[in-house]
Amino acid sequence: MIAKRIVYSVLFLFIFACQSLDNPKMPENLIEEEQMIDILKDIAFVKAAKSSYRKVFELENIDPEAYILRKYNIDSLTFAENNHWYASQLKTYDRIFRTVKDTLEYSKNLTDRLRKQQDSLQKVYDSIYKQKDGEDTISSSVDQDIREREIEENLEEIDEGNIEESSRKSKAKALRNKLKEAEKE
């Protein structure tokens, strides 16, 4: 019984003696929460770029972390102190990281949408223009669509009676010829 108390007492003291309950002091040069969000967001972007373009960073001797510190006019010690202090403020740090995460997700979604739009535009461009004997020409389907629109517009003009009788006959004849050409293709 006494042995159990001693073991529990020693264990209790050991557990509390190993923990520091002191929170870090607020840094003298406190970085505002919004600026900390921007810094952490930039760090995340730089880390992503660095992993994708490692060779470029090495060849050009670029230190992205140093660039971010210069951009925000802070030194590494100031950033480390502020990061440590914000980490001790759990609710604030959680809010900061959720904001950074949301911003990164928004940027990713925007990039994905823009990439899809670019791919769609490229497909449209490719379908309109194709290589034929080394020259760019309008594809036959697009050309046919244009001719069909012209024919419809001319037929509407004829139906509305906006042109004289002789002109109407010549336009009708020209339209018949265009229709025959379109059918051949």
Side-chain angles (χ1 to χ4, degrees):
M1 179 90 163
I2 295 177
K4 284 186 180 180
R5 285 187 182 182
I6 293 173
V7 171
Y8 286 126
S9 297
V10 170
L11 188 60
F12 181 79
L13 289 172
F14 181 76
I15 290 172
F16 283 104
C18 292
Q19 290 186 359
S20 171
L21 299 177
D22 296 334
N23 284 333
K25 293 180 184 177
M26 183 186 293
E28 289 180 25
N29 298 328
L30 181 66
I31 298 172
E32 294 295 322
E33 188 174 324
E34 289 300 316
Q35 189 176 20
M36 192 68 170
I37 290 170
D38 292 340
I39 292 169
L40 293 172
K41 179 184 64 173
D42 285 351
I43 288 171
F45 280 128
V46 163
K47 284 186 178 189
K50 193 174 181 180
S51 67
S52 298
Y53 300 103
R54 180 174 303 284
K55 290 279 187 193
V56 174
F57 283 104
E58 289 172 1
L59 289 173
E60 297 295 326
N61 199 20
I62 298 172
D63 182 7
E65 287 82 8
Y67 165 76
I68 291 172
L69 295 176
R70 278 193 313 272
K71 177 181 176 182
Y72 292 99
N73 198 25
I74 58 173
D75 58 31
S76 59
L77 180 61
T78 302
F79 174 73
E81 288 174 347
N82 277 272
N83 195 37
H84 184 63
W85 183 78
Y86 275 114
S88 71
Q89 311 298 314
L90 294 179
K91 287 182 182 177
T92 305
Y93 210 50
D94 183 54
R95 184 175 55 245
I96 288 171
F97 268 96
R98 273 190 275 121
T99 304
V100 169
K101 181 183 173 209
D102 292 346
T103 303
L104 293 174
E105 285 177 1
Y106 173 79
S107 296
K108 181 188 178 303
N109 292 337
L110 180 63
T111 302
D112 289 345
R113 279 197 319 260
L114 291 174
R115 192 170 284 135
K116 285 179 184 177
Q117 284 178 347
Q118 184 180 13
D119 290 346
S120 296
L121 290 173
Q122 187 63 44
K123 286 178 184 177
V124 168
Y125 178 81
D126 290 344
S127 71
I128 292 175
Y129 293 97
K130 63 181 182 178
Q131 291 288 353
K132 186 175 182 180
D133 299 328
E135 295 179 21
D136 284 338
T137 58
I138 297 178
S139 69
S140 61
S141 63
V142 173
D143 195 28
Q144 186 173 353
D145 289 343
I146 292 171
R147 276 185 276 179
E148 287 174 4
R149 273 194 225 120
E150 285 178 356
I151 291 169
E152 287 175 20
E153 289 171 2
N154 287 329
L155 286 173
E156 286 175 9
E157 196 174 279
I158 290 171
D159 288 341
E160 291 173 1
N162 293 337
I163 53 177
E164 296 177 11
E165 185 66 32
S166 60
S167 178
R168 203 179 288 169
K169 287 180 183 177
S170 63
K171 277 209 176 224
K173 186 177 181 179
L175 287 174
R176 276 190 229 107
N177 290 335
K178 281 187 179 182
L179 284 171
K180 286 179 185 176
E181 288 176 21
E183 288 174 0
K184 288 179 185 177
E185 294 177 8

